[in-house]
Amino acid sequence: MRRHARDPEERPMAAQKALSLNIQDVQTLLSAYMPMLERGGIFVPTRERYELGQEIYLLLTLPGESERVPVTGQVVWVSPEGVTGRRMPGVGIHFSAADQGVRDRIENLLVGHLDKGAQTYTL
């Protein structure tokens, strides 16, 4: 069998990773949410290595909810192990177009907090 360079559309099953994130309170959600992204996004603390553009499947639990919301997206931010300052190791995930409703749910929880310039885990 001849092997060719891998087509970017042909990703192995292991390329899509699953993560779980349980956010307990609004302050943590505010620090993790990435409103500057077109469809919204979330920072997920992890020590695993991810690449920019990698597809991620996330089970997200928002404050005050017990339901785990399935979200897909792409890695757009990487904070590697050993990062300094307030930063922690992890990845920022840009929500897929199909998950626009997750952004709306998060922003409803953060009404009155988003314009205050709070520090985040990313920018």
Side-chain angles (χ1 to χ4, degrees):
M1 182 164 109
R2 289 178 52 188
R3 295 196 175 230
H4 298 281
R6 190 175 279 147
D7 181 332
E9 296 296 319
E10 234 178 70
R11 294 194 173 201
M13 292 298 281
Q16 184 182 36
K17 300 231 182 168
L19 290 171
S20 181
L21 179 61
N22 184 0
I23 300 180
Q24 299 289 326
D25 56 61
V26 171
Q27 189 57 47
T28 302
L29 179 60
L30 184 61
S31 294
Y33 182 56
M34 300 173 75
M36 74 293 281
L37 299 176
E38 180 183 354
R39 296 178 303 274
I42 196 96
F43 180 82
V44 181
T46 181
R47 295 196 184 302
E48 284 193 52
R49 295 184 69 135
Y50 292 89
E51 295 179 24
L52 291 175
Q54 186 171 358
E55 189 171 292
I56 300 287
Y57 178 77
L58 173 67
L59 291 172
L60 176 64
T61 306
L62 296 172
E65 298 182 8
S66 58
E67 173 192 358
R68 293 181 354 161
V69 181
V71 179
T72 56
Q74 287 190 317
V75 174
V76 294
W77 178 278
V78 176
S79 287
E81 186 77 35
V83 68
T84 60
R86 184 173 184 263
R87 308 277 188 249
M88 65 177 63
V91 292
I93 300 170
H94 188 190
F95 299 144
S96 70
D99 292 314
Q100 185 74 36
V102 175
R103 177 186 180 149
D104 297 339
R105 286 172 74 173
I106 290 172
E107 290 190 355
N108 282 336
L109 289 168
L110 296 178
V111 166
H113 297 279
L114 285 174
D115 57 354
K116 301 229 179 349
Q119 282 195 330
T120 70
Y121 295 128
T122 56
L123 299 175

